[in-house]
Amino acid sequence: MFTGIVQQIGQIIKTAQKGSLLQLTVKIPAMDKQVKIGDSIAINGVCLTVTTKTSHKNTFTFDVMSETVKRTTLSSFKAGDKVNTELAIMSGDPFGGHFVQGHIDTVGKVSSITKSGSNCLIQITCPPETAKSIIEKGSIAIDGVSLTAFDIRSDRFSLGLIPHTLKSTILGAKKIGDKVNIEVDMLGKYIQKLLPQKPPAGSRSDDGF
């Protein structure tokens, strides 16, 4: 479990295909003494397990399954790319964001960027089924960053980024057309799952009526 409060910007050192696995090597200097093999780190919001670490180089290696690759932006990584990183939360740690599982729902795309003074408004498009689970002024994780969504439409939503977020995460470097990992607040997903689903127009119920 994570909070969506990015702890450090890391850097992709190497990507490699190992059979059906995508292997990522990421440099995260400030985390070296805190992390051991088997620990979880969110890389751009994706919960990954540390499989090896090289202390003198401050690097960590992660093996990524094909299903994770298919549902996230990880396949687009190349050496030199910057990434948001966060260690899994421990009991007693400050909780400043919201409950983030590190399980990406879908990939969205930056459709507009509007700067107003030192702040920035970003609009992101997403599949309609994802938009249904986002609530106005509700929490959402974008590339692992806990943010508040507003102006929810059928296939898009908006975000406001303050100067601190622009400086301490990779979101400040996003451009129109860039893809991002989206994780909807899990409470919204549970509510959507529990609500009775309206049958499509013109369809018949199971009993024929």
Side-chain angles (χ1 to χ4, degrees):
M1 188 71 73
F2 306 90
T3 69
I5 304 300
V6 172
Q7 295 169 319
Q8 187 181 352
I9 295 178
Q11 185 177 36
I12 301 295
I13 300 301
K14 184 175 66 174
T15 67
Q17 197 67 38
K18 302 290 185 180
S20 62
L21 298 174
L22 171 65
Q23 194 172 78
L24 300 176
T25 301
V26 186
K27 185 175 184 178
I28 320 173
M31 287 188 183
D32 181 61
K33 294 181 180 180
Q34 302 170 266
V35 179
K36 62 182 184 297
I37 306 301
D39 283 352
S40 296
I41 300 179
I43 304 296
N44 276 11
V46 185
C47 179
L48 300 176
T49 301
V50 176
T51 54
T52 63
K53 60 179 289 188
T54 307
S55 295
H56 69 283
K57 293 184 178 180
N58 299 307
T59 60
F60 304 89
T61 300
F62 307 88
D63 292 332
V64 187
M65 296 190 301
S66 57
E67 181 67 15
T68 302
V69 172
K70 183 174 68 174
R71 292 177 175 269
T72 69
T73 62
L74 300 189
S75 63
S76 66
F77 284 171
K78 60 184 183 301
D81 284 351
K82 301 294 180 64
V83 292
N84 293 324
T85 68
E86 180 190 357
L87 276 171
I89 191 171
M90 299 179 64
S91 178
D93 284 349
F95 197 93
H98 72 281
F99 288 115
V100 178
Q101 295 177 297
H103 303 158
I104 303 303
D105 293 301
T106 191
V107 171
K109 183 181 292 187
V110 177
S111 57
S112 72
I113 301 174
T114 305
K115 294 186 177 180
S116 176
S118 57
N119 298 324
C120 181
L121 297 179
I122 292 182
Q123 187 178 80
I124 294 177
T125 58
C126 65
E129 58 268 26
T130 301
K132 289 179 181 178
S133 298
I134 305 172
I135 61 173
E136 187 75 16
K137 301 299 179 64
S139 296
I140 193 167
I142 304 298
D143 274 352
V145 183
S146 176
L147 297 167
T148 301
F150 63 94
D151 191 24
I152 315 298
R153 306 297 180 90
S154 62
D155 62 349
R156 61 191 185 277
F157 58 92
S158 296
L159 306 162
L161 306 181
I162 62 174
H164 176 76
T165 303
L166 295 171
K167 181 180 178 181
S168 59
T169 76
I170 65 169
L171 296 186
K174 292 296 181 184
K175 304 181 297 296
I176 293 177
D178 283 353
K179 294 181 178 180
V180 294
N181 293 319
I182 299 175
E183 181 185 334
V184 178
D185 185 4
M186 64 179 181
L187 296 179
K189 288 186 285 188
Y190 284 137
I191 292 171
Q192 180 70 23
K193 184 72 173 179
L194 291 172
L195 288 173
Q197 301 299 307
K198 184 178 180 181
S203 65
R204 300 176 63 185
S205 61
D206 290 340
D207 58 9
F209 293 97

